[in-house]
């Protein structure tokens, strides 16, 4: 039996190919499987393993059981000069959300600002992936998405909101764009999955067990905690309103569970807000200011125990550079699964939000 702590080095191109083939084996068309594989590999390259290959077995099971529309009938509806909805017909979330970027760019080019609601999709993954693409086109952007109720609200004892992440991106004059992606919980649910996959414990500030007590055992998690108490609680409410309620989608405790009803679409919401900085200043001035900020942050004397002050999100950039050169550390049991003929393990259906 493979030790869950054992990892192997794998090149990004190999990982992407394995993920693509596994998703196609589950029934996903090649274009959708390829885009999802690119996305998950991006996450693992960034050392955000919570949104990488660890998710494939779940995605494969949902796809195989009919919970993802393999050939979705996408409906794009302009609701105003700079606003629109992009109904994904419960197609694979990564693929649909990436397609919607084309419409976001079209609207922001024309109007200087754009807001697009991506509706009726499955899990859309790591939001940094999308805001970085918008930043590469020269736009400042925010992206938010709702998720199933896994979080104990501040002062409460039952789960209500999801981890409801938010991401920001901005162009730079040099190097990769600035991007920052965070769950509104102390840690994303995927971080707990990552700890499970590696046989590791978690800090006692991340989550509570079924009795409401802090836990370090990722297998006993029954509720996640909002970041910074009432502040994170407020942020996750904002995300649910902007990516769910605003588009007439389920919200709060009514958001579909990741693991229940694997034969049904999840009907999740995802939103993009993009701004053209040249409607306010020159792009050169804006990106020069970004560079100045980065340089000034790097010049700050680090505190004891730190070797450098980094701008938010920079560690993911450095991880990508290293992992492209050295290979990505992935748990061996995940690589073994990807290389096997097993499509999925039939392990997630009709289980609670915190299923093994």
């Amino acid at each position: 039996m493979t030790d869950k702590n054992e990892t192997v080095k794998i090149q990004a191109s190999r990982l992407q190919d394995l993920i693509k083939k596994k998703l196609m084996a589950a029934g996903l068309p090649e274009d959708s499987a390829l885009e999802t594989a690119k996305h998950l590999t991006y996450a693992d390259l960034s050392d955000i393993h919570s949104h990488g290959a660890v998710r494939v077995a779940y995605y494969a099971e949902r796809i195989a059981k009919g919970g993802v529309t393999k050939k979705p009938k996408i409906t794009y509806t302009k609701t105003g000069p700079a606003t629109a909805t992009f109904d994904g017909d419960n197609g694979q979330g990564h693929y649909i959300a990436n397609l919607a970027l084309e419409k976001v760019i079209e609207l922001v080019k024309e109007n200087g600002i754009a807001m697009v609601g991506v509706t009726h999709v499955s899990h859309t993954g790591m939001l940094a992936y999308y805001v970085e693409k918008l930043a590469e086109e020269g736009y400042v952007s925010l992206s938010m998405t709702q998720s199933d109720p896994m979080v104990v609200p501040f002062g409460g004892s039952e789960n209500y909101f999801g981890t409801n992440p938010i991401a920001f991106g901005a162009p730079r004059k040099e190097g990769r764009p600035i991007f920052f992606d965070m769950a509104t919980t102390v840690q994303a649910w995927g971080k707990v999955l990552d700890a499970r996959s590696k046989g590791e414990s978690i800090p006692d500030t991340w989550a509570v067990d079924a009795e409401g007590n802090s836990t370090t055992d990722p297998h006993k998690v029954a509720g996640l905690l909002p970041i910074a108490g009432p502040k994170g609680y407020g942020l996750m409410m904002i995300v649910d309103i902007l990516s769910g309620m605003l588009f007439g989608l389920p919200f709060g405790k009514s958001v579909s569970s990741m693991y229940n009803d694997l034969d049904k679409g999840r009907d999740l919401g995802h939103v993009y807000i993009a701004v053209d900085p040249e409607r306010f200043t020159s792009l050169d001035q804006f990106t020069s200011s970004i560079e100045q900020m980065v340089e000034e942050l790097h010049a700050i004397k680090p505190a004891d125990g730190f070797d450098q002050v980094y701008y938010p999100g920079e560690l993911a950039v450095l991880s990508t550079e290293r992992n492209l050169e050295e290979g990505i550390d992935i748990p061996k049991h995940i690589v073994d699964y990807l290389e096997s003929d097993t499509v999925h393990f039939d392990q997630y259906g009709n289980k609670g939000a915190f299923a093994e």
Side-chain angles (χ1 to χ4, degrees):
M1 187 173 179
T2 302
D3 181 354
K4 281 197 169 185
N5 289 305
E6 184 181 357
T7 62
V8 295
K9 291 278 189 186
I10 184 169
Q11 291 300 313
S13 58
R14 173 65 175 158
L15 181 63
Q16 180 177 303
D17 187 57
L18 287 173
I19 294 172
K20 172 191 163 187
K21 288 178 178 177
K22 188 65 69 178
L23 295 175
M24 288 181 68
L28 210 57
E30 185 173 9
D31 56 351
S32 186
L34 176 59
E35 179 54 39
T36 306
K38 287 179 179 179
H39 189 127
L40 271 59
T41 303
Y42 172 98
D44 278 323
L45 276 169
S46 304
D47 280 344
I48 310 299
H49 299 297
S50 56
H51 287 64
V54 70
R55 300 276 187 160
V56 176
Y58 158 69
Y59 291 146
E61 185 171 345
R62 177 171 281 279
I63 292 162
K65 291 183 176 180
V68 171
T69 307
K70 298 177 179 65
K71 295 182 179 180
K73 295 179 180 178
I74 296 166
T75 305
Y76 174 66
T77 305
K78 281 195 71 175
T79 58
T83 58
T85 58
F86 194 91
D87 189 324
D89 190 28
N90 283 308
Q92 181 66 7
H94 310 77
Y95 174 68
I96 299 296
N98 188 67
L99 283 180
L101 288 177
E102 297 175 10
K103 296 302 184 182
V104 177
I105 292 169
E106 181 181 299
L107 289 177
V108 73
K109 277 183 178 178
E110 182 179 347
N111 300 286
I113 190 167
M115 185 170 183
V116 176
V118 185
T119 63
H120 305 290
V121 290
S122 62
H123 186 239
T124 53
M126 183 177 171
L127 301 188
Y129 182 84
Y130 309 111
V131 295
E132 183 174 10
K133 285 192 170 188
L134 289 169
E136 287 171 346
E137 296 292 326
Y139 303 117
V140 176
S141 68
L142 287 168
S143 183
M144 291 166 263
T145 194
Q146 57 178 182
S147 60
D148 39 332
M150 305 176 76
V151 185
V152 179
F154 183 73
S157 60
E158 299 175 3
N159 298 339
Y160 187 81
F161 288 121
T163 59
N164 294 7
I166 182 170
F168 170 83
R172 283 186 66 179
K173 187 179 290 288
E174 301 172 12
R176 283 177 67 181
I178 294 284
F179 55 89
F180 179 67
D181 183 352
M182 56 168 266
T184 50
T185 44
V186 177
Q187 283 293 357
W189 166 238
K191 294 286 187 180
V192 178
L193 288 179
D194 188 41
R196 286 180 178 179
S197 74
K198 295 174 179 176
E200 298 174 348
S201 62
I202 60 173
D204 63 6
T205 55
W206 287 15
V208 294
D209 60 20
E211 284 71 49
N213 300 313
S214 296
T215 183
T216 60
D217 185 344
H219 300 280
K220 292 184 178 179
V221 171
L224 301 175
L225 296 173
I227 191 169
K231 296 177 182 179
Y233 175 40
L235 284 172
M236 61 184 60
M237 177 189 71
I238 291 168
V239 172
D240 212 3
I241 292 170
L242 288 176
S243 62
M245 294 182 202
L246 192 61
F247 306 112
L249 297 172
F251 58 89
K253 63 182 180 181
S254 298
V255 175
S256 63
S257 169
M258 183 171 284
Y259 302 129
N260 281 341
D261 300 322
L262 291 187
D263 61 338
K264 296 181 175 64
R266 293 199 63 198
D267 292 316
L268 296 178
H270 177 110
V271 67
Y272 292 119
I273 302 170
V275 177
D276 182 355
E278 290 197 284
R279 299 298 179 108
F280 303 96
T281 185
S282 71
L283 185 60
D284 182 70
Q285 175 62 50
F286 180 76
T287 55
S288 293
S289 296
I290 294 285
E291 292 307 316
Q292 181 179 339
M293 177 193 71
V294 169
E295 291 171 5
E296 290 175 352
L297 286 171
H298 285 169
I300 291 174
K301 180 182 177 181
D304 289 345
F306 294 85
D307 60 357
Q308 172 76 59
V309 174
Y310 299 100
Y311 64 80
E314 186 173 7
L315 291 178
V317 174
L318 298 175
S319 292
T320 298
E321 292 172 355
R322 183 188 67 251
N323 290 332
L324 281 171
E325 182 177 340
E326 299 177 3
I328 311 169
D329 285 313
I330 300 292
K332 186 176 184 300
H333 69 93
I334 292 177
V335 176
D336 288 345
Y337 156 65
L338 292 174
E339 291 179 335
S340 74
D341 293 329
T342 301
V343 174
H344 64 82
F345 299 106
D346 199 24
Q347 71 187 75
Y348 292 110
N350 297 313
K351 292 189 176 180
F354 302 97
E356 292 290 328

